[in-house]
Amino acid sequence: MTKTILMTASVLLALAVALGAFGAHGLKSQLSTDMMQTYKTGVDYHFYHALGLLLIGILAVSFPSELLKWSAILLMAGIILFSGSLYVLAVSGIKWLGAVTPVGGLSFIAGWVMLFFAVWKKV
């Protein structure tokens, strides 16, 4: 599982760089200021949580745990739901996707709480 978490984190970090560059160079002239900010928020949270996923993978090397696995899964779900919904909202203007974003935010929160309990239980 550790190898999968670390590989997934690496791919998600590379994707965050690519999507950030695409937004800065390819979308800047295409999106309104508000939608560009929405897209940027998606990239920012994507980066933060992919780095968190990398941290979880590193921790899992020394402290393998079911709670760490769930922490990783929840951060990945958060990236997909939170950042993904913001990316699609920004480029498509589909407003109902805004309802998906908070579910991703809750996944992020739950993932960090799982990390807390994993560390508390193991260290």
Side-chain angles (χ1 to χ4, degrees), residues 28-93:
K28 191 172 186 176
S29 63
Q30 306 296 319
L31 298 180
S32 69
T33 303
D34 285 346
M35 286 297 105
M36 194 64 216
Q37 185 57 48
T38 298
Y39 188 89
K40 184 182 179 321
T41 298
V43 171
D44 290 346
Y45 276 75
H46 183 151
F47 257 119
Y48 303 147
H49 291 87
L51 286 170
L53 187 61
L54 185 64
L55 170 71
I56 291 165
I58 292 167
L59 285 172
V61 170
S62 297
F63 306 105
S65 154
E66 193 69 18
L67 291 171
L68 282 178
K69 179 182 100 172
W70 278 104
S71 179
I73 290 168
L74 288 163
L75 290 188
M76 285 185 275
I79 291 170
I80 293 165
L81 296 171
F82 185 91
S83 295
S85 67
L86 292 180
Y87 296 145
V88 176
L89 171 64
V91 299
S92 72

Side-chain angles (χ1 to χ4, degrees), residues 81 85 89 94-104:
L81 296 171
S85 67
L89 171 64
I94 300 171
K95 300 287 186 203
W96 66 264
L97 284 169
V100 174
T101 309
V103 177

